[in-house]
Amino acid sequence: MIRALLFDLDDTLLDHTGAARDAVDQWCRELGLPQGQHARFAAIERTWFSAYERGEVTHQGQRAARCREFLGREMSDAEALAAYDGYLSAYREQWRAFSDALPTLTWALESGFQVGVLTNGEREMQQAKLEATGLALADVHLIPTVDLGCPKPQRAAYLAACDQLGAAPAETLMVGDSLTNDVQGARTAGLHALHLDRAGNGDLRSLSALKEVLPRKAS
């Protein structure tokens, strides 16, 4: 019996890719740089965020490195983080929840599940995302792995999240868009997991489909 549900945040509940695309264009306009560089920005983001997930750089360190590489400038960490604030400001303006996010969280809570959001982002920004998009529900636990000191897909991240929800790994289902972070890592830690792929190539095409997978209320 599943007693707890863990959701990823970026590109699961919130359209991070769309927000980042529009934010990069806005940031480039402000800097007088060519627009349409989202693919390059996203590739740099994946490289450095993966390094963070492997424990090779800090969360702030990967931000500074991403900024230096994207802008092609030699900067100290402090200078790079200050420049990166321009992107973050634009990014915040673009936050949008997917249309099925709030109904799914509401259904999960009303069905008696313990509900958490397990994210590799830092608490301040991820909490702000939930609040800005109307997803900051009182009984939804935000669990940023930056606080835990062990990002997904490290096994300890999922176990700590289960502990916070008061459920055993075998009683917990993780849902997210990343095969590595939200499916394979979770299953390795003993959780159930479903891959959300809105293009239709995963276990779920929408969050609303969870109602068909888990039709019964938790006990």
Side-chain angles (χ1 to χ4, degrees), residues 19-36 86-94:
R21 179 185 60 247
D22 294 340
V24 169
D25 278 345
Q26 180 176 329
W27 189 34
C28 287
R29 285 196 300 270
E30 292 169 355
L31 294 173
L33 299 175
Q35 297 178 54
Y87 164 73
L88 292 178
S89 178
Y91 177 53
R92 291 185 187 98
E93 294 176 11
Q94 305 299 330

Side-chain angles (χ1 to χ4, degrees), residues 57-93:
V57 295
T58 65
H59 192 271
Q60 290 293 88
Q62 61 86 25
R63 282 184 174 179
R66 285 158 58 178
C67 185
R68 276 192 292 265
E69 184 170 347
F70 184 74
L71 297 182
R73 302 177 190 170
E74 288 297 326
M75 294 180 281
S76 67
D77 279 1
E79 291 169 333
L81 290 172
Y84 195 70
D85 279 343
Y87 164 73
L88 292 178
S89 178
Y91 177 53
R92 291 185 187 98
E93 294 176 11

